[in-house]
Amino acid sequence: MGSAQPNRRESLRIALKKAGDEVKGAALASDAFFPFAWKDVVEEACENGIGVIAEPGGSIRDGDAIDCCNKYGVSLVFTRLFEAKT
C-alpha cells in the first residue's frame, strides 16, 4: 500500500518496497486512471513483477496502458469505463 502520496510513482515505489519479494505476480489496484503508461507507473509496475493491474479507466491514453501491459504479459482490468454525457 502506497496511499496518500501526491506523486503516483512514489506511491508505487512505497508499495513495491513494502511488498518485497511478494511483489512477483501480485495485483496492483488504483482508484484513478493512469494518465501515462510508458516510463511511468504502469511500466514500472510491470518491470517489477506485478502480475495484474486494476484501474477504473477513462484516460485518453488507456490504449497505452493496454499496450504496455501486453508487452510485459501483465493482465489489465478496467473496473469502470467512463462515458461522455451529452
Side-chain angles (χ1 to χ4, degrees):
M1 182 169 203
S3 61
Q5 299 300 312
N7 180 306
R8 65 185 171 275
R9 293 184 82 181
E10 190 59 30
S11 183
L12 172 68
R13 290 173 184 148
I14 291 168
L16 292 172
K17 184 177 178 182
K18 286 182 178 182
D21 291 337
E22 294 180 22
V23 74
K24 303 300 180 205
L28 173 114
S30 177
D31 63 350
F33 65 75
F34 296 109
F36 305 102
W38 302 107
K39 299 186 188 302
D40 206 277
V41 171
V42 176
E43 188 167 33
E44 190 169 337
C46 292
E47 290 173 337
N48 280 279
I50 291 293
V52 177
I53 297 175
E55 56 130 323
S59 170
I60 61 172
R61 294 188 180 94
D62 281 345
D64 288 345
I66 293 167
D67 292 342
C68 184
C69 286
N70 284 340
K71 175 185 175 185
Y72 289 93
V74 172
S75 297
L76 177 62
V77 178
F78 290 107
T79 59
R80 186 174 97 211
L81 292 175
F82 296 94
E83 295 181 25
K85 304 215 180 199
T86 57

